[in-house]
Amino acid sequence: MKIAIASGKGGTGKTTLAVNLAASAPMPICLLDCDVEEPNAHLFIRAENIQRHPEGVFVPVIDTDRCTLCGKCEAICRFSALVIIGKRLLAYPEMCHACLGCMRICPEEAISPGERILGDVLSGSFGPHQLIWGEMRVGEAMSPPLIEAVQRMAPEDRPLLLDSPPGTSCPMIAAIRDCDFVVLVTEPTSFGLHDLTLAVETARHLKIPCGIVVNRAEKGNTQIQDYAALEDIPVLLEIPFRRSYAESYSRGEKLIDTDPALRKAFTGLWDIIIKKAEDQKTRRAS
Amino acid sequence: MKELVILSGKGGTGKTSISAAFAHLAPSRILVDADVDAANLHLVVPHKVFSSEAFSGGILPELDLTLCTDCGTCVGICAFHAIKDTHPPEIDPVYCEGCGICHDFCPAGAIGLKPRISGTWFHSSTAEGPMLHARLGIAEENSGKLVSMLRKRAGELGRQGEYPIILVDGPPGIGCPVIASLTGADLVLMVTEPTLSGRHDMLRLAKLCARMRIPVCLTLNKWDLNPEMAHAMEEEARSRGMEILSSIPFDTEMTKAMAAGRSLTEVSSGPASQALMQLWQEVLSLLEKQQKSSDGGLLIMESLKQETIP
């Protein structure tokens, strides 16, 4: 079972929800922090026995003795990762998407697979749970291969909770596309609502059922609830705005430790999302 | 003409609210919303769209079932598992990277390639100058290319001479669209907050800017949520060669302005609004200083050069 936490807009509380849900899980789970550009879950969860694995992707390596400069690889590469300049074939690894087209098309077998390090995948444990996160190398542009690597490391014997990167483009899609349920975290502002509608459209496009968590909820401000009712999407939880929450967050503390009353709310949220995700799995199987 | 890019690393620290205030305070500028997959600037900057255009940043394969022999070559060759092993095969655009090798290797010539429309971009007018913004399509990629295109158009408009400043509201993170927002810019204003996450993300973005040799100045939004952390972060930033500018206090007027669809400096004279006006003056003088020293050697640039990237 795979449950994603996503948002569209950044800074709405994805990581807050992820770490608090993880810490109040009724069974052993694994939290996957898929925001590999700016991972934050590990700042709130002090994981133990941390292991680090460098993660690489394919890049073409050119054997200049074999290369006849026929130009077939340059022509097939739609990302301009291989270019003939004068009498030399040059590879630009950071442009490569690893489709392997150049290797397949080369008639001289002059291209072999090499590896470029994208970043690290780290894993550790906290209580009965696991935490796996990715850390993209600074300067690297493409995060989806590392997001996939984080997911490949996930154990199969327990529910997975994914903390997604913000936005609705490739990194977010790579994180949530095969999830059974997605929790969309938002805040009752015009930015929050606007980006929520994009995230809802994305979830629907991917045919993943979703529910909404309203963070920094204020009495009398019902714009998110009104939208949810209109779109027939359940509002799963409202976390009120309190300056004390923001202050404890700033110190890297979990909400359930700041306000124990919230622990019950998060445990309750598990019951709902597990049921929703199971329904989806059954639906998918039939 | 100078280009200022507003970035944060962490999302939701106030980039767009600050961009909107600057957009309002600058008497004449070009505005770019480079957060193309969750664009919000248009919600707080009154504008009139006067042209829109589809953006195509890649290709999408198209299977011609009348030619397909169901040989399965494309299924086996796709490195992204974007072609489902059904009979006949089915292409899933969500997984497709647009490498096109299914087209190149199909023995029956049954796979064509068409441009993939991945979004729409807009040229709008506002009281203080043009605004370029976009909307990336649902589940589409190439946001970096779209950002580069918007900035290129802004540069073309800027070179015509009327506008001294290009203001870019950047995306969160440190990946492809952020790199596309940064390349060749004159100055980065980093907007962060005094939280553990804000600090962590600031340091990663600082590393990226240093690597790309772009000078950085810093403002802490909602600094009073954790004054101790705010102070420590400023010290850390200073030691990395960043210029420390005025910080902005937590102020509920910020969300009120957002709800009204206006910039904070337009509708409020509260503490955050005052701080933003001060910040804008500081940013302006930094940008000017840079202009003067572009032939003489820039102080901030020099301090950045000392930073070594491990």
Side-chain angles (χ1 to χ4, degrees):
Chain A
M1 181 185 299
K2 236 173 166 177
I3 297 148
I5 297 175
S7 73
K9 176 166 161 47
T12 55
K14 284 182 296 300
T15 303
T16 301
L17 185 68
V19 297
N20 284 286
L21 254 184
S24 30
M27 75 296 259
I29 59 126
C30 178
L31 175 60
L32 304 170
D33 188 349
C34 292
D35 186 358
V36 302
E37 292 178 39
E38 298 288 25
N40 289 151
H42 66 284
L43 303 173
F44 296 84
I45 288 171
R46 285 148 193 98
E48 295 170 327
N49 307 317
I50 294 171
Q51 292 184 30
R52 183 182 278 267
H53 313 265
E55 190 61 43
V57 277
F58 163 90
V59 283
V61 176
I62 304 157
D63 181 343
T64 45
D65 292 339
R66 283 178 175 237
C67 176
T68 60
L69 297 174
C70 71
K72 284 189 173 153
C73 58
E74 186 186 26
I76 203 173
C77 181
R78 285 167 179 93
F79 308 108
S80 310
L82 289 158
V83 183
I84 295 176
I85 296 175
K87 288 195 168 167
R88 278 182 69 195
L89 172 63
L90 296 175
Y92 292 92
E94 62 283 2
M95 310 290 282
C96 176
H97 285 230
C99 72
L100 314 185
C102 53
M103 237 174 72
R104 293 183 198 273
I105 199 87
C106 178
E108 314 297 334
E109 294 183 10
I111 297 178
S112 58
E115 197 186 46
R116 185 168 61 100
I117 299 300
L118 269 183
D120 292 316
V121 175
L122 297 100
S123 61
S125 58
F126 59 106
H129 313 300
Q130 266 179 280
L131 172 68
I132 302 177
W133 74 102
E135 218 174 75
M136 190 166 81
R137 208 171 51 86
V138 174
E140 198 60 55
M142 277 180 280
S143 56
L146 193 58
I147 294 171
E148 283 161 22
V150 168
Q151 302 195 46
R152 274 199 304 275
M153 286 275 291
E156 283 176 7
D157 63 342
R158 53 183 73 199
L160 305 175
L161 189 62
L162 277 85
D163 190 2
S164 160
T168 53
S169 66
C170 19
M172 185 259 201
I173 303 294
I176 76 162
R177 62 190 169 195
D178 60 351
C179 287
D180 302 303
F181 188 73
V182 52
V183 181
L184 300 172
V185 189
T186 189
E187 56 179 34
T189 64
S190 55
F191 292 179
L193 178 59
H194 176 265
D195 297 346
L196 171 68
T197 61
L198 298 177
V200 166
E201 277 184 61
T202 307
R204 287 188 172 153
H205 182 85
L206 298 172
K207 300 189 173 64
I208 308 171
C210 63
I212 294 171
V213 167
V214 186
N215 192 17
R216 303 186 194 111
E218 285 170 55
K219 275 210 180 83
N221 184 341
T222 58
Q223 51 183 317
I224 303 294
Q225 289 81 351
D226 297 345
Y227 164 80
L230 204 67
E231 293 290 330
D232 199 19
I233 303 168
V235 173
L236 309 169
L237 180 68
E238 291 178 23
I239 304 170
F241 173 77
R242 289 213 182 115
R243 198 179 158 116
S244 60
Y245 290 177
E247 287 171 1
S248 74
Y249 167 84
S250 81
R251 296 187 293 267
E253 293 163 13
K254 289 194 280 290
L255 279 179
I256 48 171
D257 299 329
T258 311
D259 184 352
L262 283 173
R263 189 178 284 268
K264 215 176 142 196
F266 285 110
T267 318
L269 185 53
W270 268 110
D271 295 340
I272 305 173
I273 56 184
I274 284 175
K275 190 174 177 305
K276 299 244 179 222
E278 267 167 4
D279 286 353
Q280 168 71 359
K281 279 193 99 169
T282 324
R283 216 172 304 143
R284 213 178 260 170
S286 61
Chain B
M1 184 190 63
K2 290 282 154 185
E3 190 175 22
L4 172 74
V5 185
I6 297 167
L7 289 172
S8 67
K10 175 166 163 46
T13 58
K15 283 183 298 300
T16 301
S17 295
I18 291 176
S19 299
F22 286 3
H24 161 244
L25 293 170
S28 170
R29 46 73 193 145
I30 299 168
L31 193 56
V32 177
D33 189 347
D35 188 2
V36 294
D37 62 311
N40 287 149
L41 199 54
H42 67 283
L43 299 173
V44 279
V45 176
H47 64 284
K48 221 181 243 155
V49 175
F50 71 72
S51 74
S52 69
E53 215 175 289
F55 169 77
S56 164
I59 47 170
L60 193 64
E62 201 174 24
L63 183 65
D64 184 342
L65 287 177
T66 59
L67 296 174
C68 177
T69 60
D70 203 4
C71 68
T73 305
C74 56
V75 175
I77 212 166
C78 178
F80 310 102
H81 311 289
I83 307 182
K84 280 189 218 157
D85 193 8
T86 48
H87 303 284
E90 203 184 307
I91 297 164
D92 185 347
V94 170
Y95 285 78
C96 178
E97 285 267 330
C99 72
I101 71 163
C102 51
H103 156 86
D104 300 313
F105 286 93
C106 173
I111 301 179
L113 296 174
K114 59 176 184 186
R116 181 169 187 159
I117 304 299
S118 47
T120 312
W121 71 276
F122 309 93
H123 185 163
S124 297
S125 61
T126 75
E128 298 83 10
M131 173 164 81
L132 303 179
H133 49 125
R135 189 187 159 157
L136 196 70
I138 293 304
E140 288 295 343
E141 14 188 275
N142 280 314
S143 55
K145 273 191 187 172
L146 183 50
V147 169
S148 301
M149 197 276 290
L150 289 179
R151 283 185 61 219
K152 200 174 142 223
R153 294 294 161 115
E156 285 161 9
L157 279 175
R159 271 189 293 280
Q160 292 165 13
E162 263 176 84
Y163 305 100
I165 295 174
I166 300 177
L167 280 179
V168 181
D169 181 13
I174 58 163
C176 146
V178 172
I179 292 173
S181 310
L182 267 176
T183 317
D186 296 289
L187 182 67
V188 165
L189 171 64
M190 204 190 288
V191 180
T192 187
E193 56 179 34
T195 65
L196 218 53
S197 309
R199 174 181 175 268
H200 171 270
D201 297 355
M202 164 186 98
L203 294 175
R204 280 170 65 79
L205 178 61
K207 223 173 175 182
L208 178 69
C209 296
R211 169 171 288 199
M212 295 179 74
R213 298 258 177 273
I214 319 260
V216 183
C217 52
L218 180 86
T219 182
L220 280 160
N221 192 13
K222 308 176 200 158
W223 70 271
D224 47 339
L225 279 184
N226 190 335
E228 214 175 300
M229 171 101 64
H231 182 70
M233 283 171 71
E234 287 183 345
E235 284 312 308
E236 241 174 330
R238 200 180 320 245
S239 73
R240 281 171 167 74
M242 287 184 239
E243 191 86 14
I244 312 303
L245 307 183
S246 292
S247 21
I248 304 157
F250 178 78
D251 187 344
T252 48
E253 301 260 299
M254 201 82 116
T255 39
K256 281 184 202 152
M258 209 191 277
R262 297 281 163 156
S263 65
L264 183 68
T265 46
E266 241 179 313
V267 296
S268 157
S269 52
S273 177
Q274 296 290 332
L276 277 169
M277 288 186 212
Q278 167 77 23
L279 181 66
W280 172 240
Q281 289 309 321
E282 293 169 0
V283 168
L284 265 187
S285 80
L286 257 188
L287 273 173
E288 269 163 31
K289 195 156 100 188
Q290 215 188 325
Q291 211 148 12
K292 272 185 227 142
S293 46
S294 60
D295 25 58
L298 180 68
L299 196 76
I300 0 182
M301 266 300 203
E302 280 313 307
S303 56
L304 271 179
K305 273 180 196 152
Q306 290 162 12
E307 166 125 358
T308 48
I309 306 293

